[in-house]
């Protein structure tokens, strides 16, 4: 019944668009975007393909920024129907979407934590946000001056930390994980470093990551980062909690401010580096590309994204039931994203 309700709402809301033929009918949903949301979307796509008569959607991992760019290029069968994102669409991205005739419908999926993890063969770290900032920032305060980051080892920052080279594998600028890490960890740590604000380290400067080899852009493939950590016990990697959860036999997460990156800590809001996850539906394609409303119905089913849903088994932190109900209602109505 729920799937039929979604389909009815979509068909009614987009009757004019369908008649105008603003998108040519393709018979398979195309999804792009976040590498963090990718495993969740893939799981839903597989279930959707098994449960319905629609083809299994094609899901590609392009990074949040790259996915949104593709999504916002316009309306038509050569553009994606849905984009996943591990951070919220930005105002300037929404403007570009709207200018291209695209109306995004936002669906908040749940929560995720961003972890710093290393091989279980290495030393498990307990870091503060300030220490993370000092390890990775392009410029840091030293003796009352703003200088190029001089720290080469973790012990250079704090003698209680290991005397090992700072080597962190992380996502590129197109990644939503990179954006969220900059906002939550880098900027959060920047605020805690004495004298940083006085030296002009405000939001943009706090987000800048060093380029001397201590931070290594490892692409959008989080599984590749996990493999590299397994091979190098001294290196750390940055990715979503779900990848730590799925590879707990190989890697361990660093505590942040004394809090371990666990399902319960993220759900309770105790873990300091956590964020919401999203996907965006192209409203103009609903009712034109077959199955979009039904895919939405599968994703927002309690057996999918609920407390006991199959996505929780894959590391997604579910939203409270009341929040899920509100998101479902807004999505069913195809409410356009607005700021």
């Amino acid at each position: 019944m729920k799937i039929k309700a979604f389909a009815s709402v979509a068909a009614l809301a987009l009757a004019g668009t369908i008649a105008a033929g603003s998108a040519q009918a393709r018979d398979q949903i195309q999804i792009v975007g976040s590498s963090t949301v990718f495993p969740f979307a893939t799981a839903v796509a597989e279930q959707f393909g098994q449960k319905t008569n629609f083809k299994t959607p094609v899901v590609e991992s392009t990074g949040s920024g790259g996915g949104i760019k593709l999504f916002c290029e316009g309306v038509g069968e050569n553009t994606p129907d849905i984009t996943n994102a591990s951070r919220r669409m930005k105002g300037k991205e929404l403007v570009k979407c709207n200018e291209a005739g695209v109306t995004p419908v936002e669906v908040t999926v749940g929560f995720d934590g961003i972890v710093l993890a290393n091989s279980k063969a290495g030393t498990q770290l307990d870091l503060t946000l300030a220490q993370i900032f000092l390890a990775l920032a392009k410029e840091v305060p030293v003796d009352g001056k703003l200088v190029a980051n001089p720290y080469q080892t973790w012990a250079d920052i704090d003698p209680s930390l290991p005397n090992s080279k700072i080597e962190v594998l992380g996502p590129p600028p197109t990644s939503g994980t990179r954006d969220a890490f900059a906002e939550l960890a880098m900027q959060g740590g920047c605020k805690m470093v004495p004298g940083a604000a006085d030296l002009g380290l405000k939001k943009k400067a706090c987000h800048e990551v060093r380029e001397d080899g201590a931070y290594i852009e490892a692409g959008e493939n989080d599984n590749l980062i996990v493999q590299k950590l397994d091979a190098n016990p001294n290196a750390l990697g940055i990715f979503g909690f779900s990848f730590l959860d799925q590879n707990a036999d190989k890697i361990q997460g660093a505590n942040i401010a004394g809090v371990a990156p666990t399902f319960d800590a993220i759900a309770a809001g105790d873990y300091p580096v956590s964020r919401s996850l999203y996907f965006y539906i192209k409203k103009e394609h609903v009712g034109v590309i077959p199955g979009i409303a039904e895919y939405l119905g599968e994703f927002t089913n309690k057996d999918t994204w609920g407390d006991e849903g199959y996505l929780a088994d894959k590391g997604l932190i579910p939203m409270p039931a009341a929040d899920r109900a509100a998101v479902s209602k807004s999505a069913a109505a195809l409410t356009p994203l607005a700021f």
Side-chain angles (χ1 to χ4, degrees):
M1 293 297 291
K2 188 172 184 180
I3 290 178
K4 290 181 179 179
F6 274 120
S8 297
V9 171
L12 180 62
L14 293 171
T17 301
I18 296 169
S22 60
Q24 298 176 39
R26 189 184 347 100
D27 66 353
Q28 191 172 30
I29 298 170
Q30 293 184 354
I31 304 171
V32 295
S34 166
S35 63
T36 301
V37 183
F38 175 79
F40 305 135
T42 299
V44 176
E46 290 172 351
Q47 287 289 323
F48 173 77
Q50 293 172 12
K51 292 179 179 179
T52 73
N53 293 323
F54 298 102
K55 289 185 177 180
T56 300
V58 176
V59 187
E60 296 182 71
S61 177
T62 63
S64 296
I68 291 172
K69 183 177 180 181
L70 291 168
F71 179 83
C72 291
E73 284 183 348
V75 173
E77 65 176 346
N78 61 331
T79 64
D81 310 303
I82 296 171
T83 187
N84 301 317
S86 57
R87 48 94 173 157
R88 199 178 192 210
M89 183 178 285
K90 300 174 183 177
K92 61 183 180 181
E93 291 170 332
L94 177 58
V95 170
K96 288 183 178 179
C97 256
N98 291 160
E99 288 176 348
V102 175
T103 305
V105 175
E106 181 178 84
V107 183
T108 308
V109 174
F111 304 115
D112 182 43
I114 301 174
V115 303
L116 273 166
N118 67 332
S119 166
K120 281 195 166 182
T123 302
Q124 187 171 29
L125 299 181
D126 193 334
L127 301 169
T128 66
L129 291 178
Q131 289 168 343
I132 293 172
F133 171 78
L134 291 174
L136 297 178
K138 186 174 183 178
E139 294 184 315
V140 298
V142 176
D143 297 329
K145 296 180 181 179
L146 196 60
V147 300
N149 196 323
Y151 303 119
Q152 299 300 310
T153 70
W154 291 100
D156 289 341
I157 297 171
D158 189 316
S160 68
L161 295 175
N163 187 27
S164 56
K165 180 182 177 183
I166 297 171
E167 186 175 359
V168 179
L169 305 169
T174 53
S175 168
T177 298
R178 171 75 169 265
D179 288 339
F181 183 80
E183 186 79 26
L184 298 168
M186 296 292 288
Q187 189 177 344
C190 185
K191 293 176 181 178
M192 298 179 182
V193 174
D198 296 335
L199 292 172
L201 272 174
K202 296 182 181 179
K203 182 175 180 179
K204 183 177 180 180
C206 289
H207 288 194
E208 291 186 336
V209 176
R210 61 196 298 180
E211 300 173 342
D212 59 356
Y215 181 89
I216 303 163
E217 289 186 6
E220 298 284 3
N221 189 338
D222 292 331
N223 287 312
L224 182 59
I225 296 179
V226 171
Q227 292 172 19
K228 290 184 176 180
L229 297 183
D230 195 33
N232 182 2
N234 289 324
L236 289 169
I238 299 171
F239 37 76
F241 166 76
S242 62
F243 285 90
L244 171 63
D245 189 52
Q246 297 298 312
N247 295 277
D249 59 325
K250 299 177 181 178
I251 57 177
Q252 59 191 353
N255 292 351
I256 306 297
V259 181
T262 65
F263 185 101
D264 290 340
I266 297 168
D270 296 333
Y271 183 71
V273 191
S274 57
R275 43 127 181 228
S276 296
L277 303 177
Y278 307 86
F279 68 86
Y280 293 89
I281 293 172
K282 188 172 294 181
K283 183 173 181 177
E284 288 74 17
H285 283 197
V286 180
V288 179
I289 303 301
I292 297 176
E294 290 81 0
Y295 174 85
L296 173 61
E298 172 62 26
F299 213 125
T300 56
N301 187 302
K302 66 181 179 63
D303 292 332
T304 303
W305 71 346
D307 294 336
E308 305 298 328
Y310 60 80
L311 291 185
D313 293 336
K314 293 189 173 294
L316 179 71
I317 314 298
M319 295 183 291
D323 292 346
R324 295 198 305 270
V327 170
S328 293
K329 182 178 180 180
S330 177
L334 297 175
T335 305
L337 174 64
F339 290 101

